[in-house]
Amino acid sequence: MDFDLIFKIAGIGILISILNTVLHQAGKQEQAQMLTLAGVVIVLLMVVQLLSQLFTAVRTVFRIY
Amino acid sequence: MELVPIAGLGLAVTILVLLLREDRPELALLLSLTAGIMIFLLLMDRIATVFNLLQQLAWRANLDLLYLNTVLRIVAIAYIAQFGAQICRDAGESAIGGKIELAGKIMIMFLAVPMLLVILDSVLQLLP
């Protein structure tokens, strides 16, 4: 089971929060908003793949066709 | 012993979620969702062996497989509804969680209807 997805998401989260504070210092609020959105979208794509894996696994194990 | 890595994973993810929660709550939620899914995927093979054993027992008792499949389906619906409702409650949206649980209950009732009819018929046959 690959645990690196968890650390990838945590890394992205920490990176985004740091970059946001930097961008706020630099006065570029809208870039900070864009960055937050981009981060959420990337992490969402990863989690959606895992979610589809979960639902196929449930479907096979519980024999729901 | 499979439980130690799962507990360790849970603790590690809890710490990371706390780290992320104060300024990126949505990513913290996605992280806890990922951990939940991973722990369940770790358990998949054990659940599969248990259900195979149930299938063999039902087949040996030449029980109609329809009932076992319905029971398995009900268990799956209960698990997914509870999984979704808890994630929503984590995010503070207990109303949406309640709606998901309501949907799960109604679907379980819907699946239980044929079995209730069969029970009713068999009881009526018993009466003189």
Side-chain angles (χ1 to χ4, degrees):
Chain A
M1 201 54 223
D2 50 354
F3 297 123
D4 56 354
L5 183 62
I6 287 182
F7 300 119
K8 240 184 271 180
I9 292 179
I12 288 178
I14 293 166
L15 189 69
I16 282 176
S17 51
I18 292 169
L19 286 180
N20 263 346
T21 47
V22 167
L23 282 174
H24 279 300
Q25 249 67 34
K28 294 190 173 55
Q29 262 65 19
E30 60 283 350
Q31 266 87 357
Q33 290 300 337
M34 290 303 150
L35 182 69
T36 311
L37 212 59
V40 169
V41 163
I42 292 169
V43 171
L44 208 56
L45 286 179
M46 288 193 230
V47 173
V48 160
Q49 282 164 8
L50 200 65
L51 207 58
S52 71
Q53 206 180 335
L54 171 77
F55 283 142
T56 42
V58 165
R59 191 168 291 135
T60 46
V61 166
F62 291 99
R63 289 172 185 75
I64 306 167
Y65 301 121
Chain B
M1 244 279 282
E2 188 62 40
L3 191 58
V4 171
I6 288 178
L9 174 71
L11 286 179
V13 170
T14 312
I15 293 165
L16 289 175
V17 164
L18 283 183
L19 193 66
L20 278 177
R21 190 167 287 270
E22 78 275 356
D23 48 0
R24 289 272 72 78
E26 65 278 4
L27 291 185
L29 176 71
L30 285 172
L31 196 57
S32 65
L33 182 63
T34 317
I37 293 174
M38 268 193 190
I39 288 177
F40 184 75
L41 288 180
L42 276 176
L43 298 174
M44 281 321 278
D45 46 1
R46 280 165 176 71
I47 294 176
T49 44
V50 168
F51 280 151
N52 289 342
L53 173 70
L54 282 180
Q55 196 106 21
Q56 278 159 21
L57 291 181
W59 182 72
R60 198 162 297 168
N62 50 50
L63 183 72
D64 184 354
L65 279 189
L66 166 72
Y67 305 134
L68 186 66
N69 281 344
T70 315
V71 167
L72 288 189
R73 205 163 286 160
I74 287 178
V75 168
I77 288 177
Y79 168 68
I80 291 180
Q82 189 236 1
F83 182 85
Q86 265 174 349
I87 294 287
C88 291
R89 282 208 183 86
D90 265 2
E93 295 295 327
S94 54
I96 299 177
K99 296 296 177 295
I100 293 176
E101 277 182 2
L102 175 71
K105 286 178 191 140
I106 288 174
M107 273 185 228
I108 288 175
M109 280 296 294
F110 175 73
L111 281 176
V113 159
M115 292 176 127
L116 292 179
L117 292 181
V118 167
I119 290 171
L120 195 64
D121 295 342
S122 51
V123 166
L124 288 183
Q125 276 156 16
L126 290 180
L127 296 182

